[in-house]
Amino acid sequence: MRTLLESNPKTFLLIDSVGALLTTIGLVVIRFFFEAWFRMPWYMLLVLAAIAFTFFIYSFCSFYFVKTNHAVFLGRISRANYAYCFLTVCLLIKYRLTLTIFDWFYFVSEVLIILALVLLEARSIKREQSEPTKHSSPKTQKID
């Protein structure tokens, strides 16, 4: 299964979109149903949820509508995911004195999962870029 994921950037776009949607739902649920257990400011939860929802739309549209060169679109969302992790860590540092153990568990887990996905995405992009194009014209193919 790992080889399948590494060799197919389009699959990663789908995985990324599902993950971004789950993040959006998780942050909204925390905001409205578990606010007493979490101390991350509510407006930051909604900002993170809005960013995650934007990532969901981008990844899903890239998966569904883009027909070729998925690695380019995957590279963009991969960099955006990395930036999201950086923002999350900055927020953890900024609000460290008021956060609960639930905040720390949720956000550190989320960052670790996203960073693992970013690593796998980078491998997938590298693998796709190193493979020769399947639809090369005969002029560009090397003949021994």
Side-chain angles (χ1 to χ4, degrees):
M1 175 148 176
R2 189 171 181 199
T3 305
L4 171 68
L5 293 177
E6 287 178 349
S7 65
N8 192 348
K10 185 174 181 176
T11 302
F12 271 114
L13 289 168
L14 180 61
I15 292 168
D16 219 306
S17 67
V18 170
L21 184 60
L22 290 174
T23 294
T24 302
I25 293 168
L27 291 169
V28 170
V29 166
I30 287 170
R31 164 62 182 104
F32 291 105
F33 297 105
F34 296 102
E35 189 173 7
W37 295 3
F38 291 84
R39 294 287 181 236
M40 181 67 76
W42 66 269
Y43 52 89
M44 293 313 307
L45 291 173
L46 295 181
V47 166
L48 291 172
I51 293 169
F53 190 71
T54 303
F55 290 1
F56 160 70
I57 291 171
Y58 177 86
S59 296
F60 184 76
C61 288
S62 296
F63 169 79
Y64 191 75
F65 294 112
V66 174
K67 301 300 179 203
T68 60
N69 206 8
H70 295 99
V72 171
F73 295 88
L74 182 60
R76 291 177 186 153
I77 197 64
S78 186
R79 287 188 296 277
N81 280 331
Y82 189 76
Y84 178 89
C85 289
F86 180 76
L87 173 62
T88 302
V89 169
C90 289
L91 292 173
L92 287 172
I93 292 168
K94 180 176 181 177
Y95 297 109
R96 70 186 176 277
L97 299 177
T98 60
L99 299 179
T100 67
I101 190 72
F102 299 108
D103 289 292
W104 284 100
F105 179 77
Y106 177 84
F107 288 108
V108 169
S109 298
E110 181 181 63
V111 166
L112 292 175
I113 291 168
I114 293 171
L115 289 177
L117 182 64
V118 166
L119 178 65
L120 291 173
E121 289 172 346
R123 288 181 182 175
S124 177
I125 292 167
K126 185 176 180 180
R127 181 170 293 195
E128 183 165 293
Q129 290 173 344
S130 68
E131 289 179 358
T133 309
K134 295 177 183 173
H135 303 289
S136 302
S137 68
K139 293 179 184 177
T140 61
Q141 292 178 347
K142 184 179 177 184
I143 301 174
D144 292 322

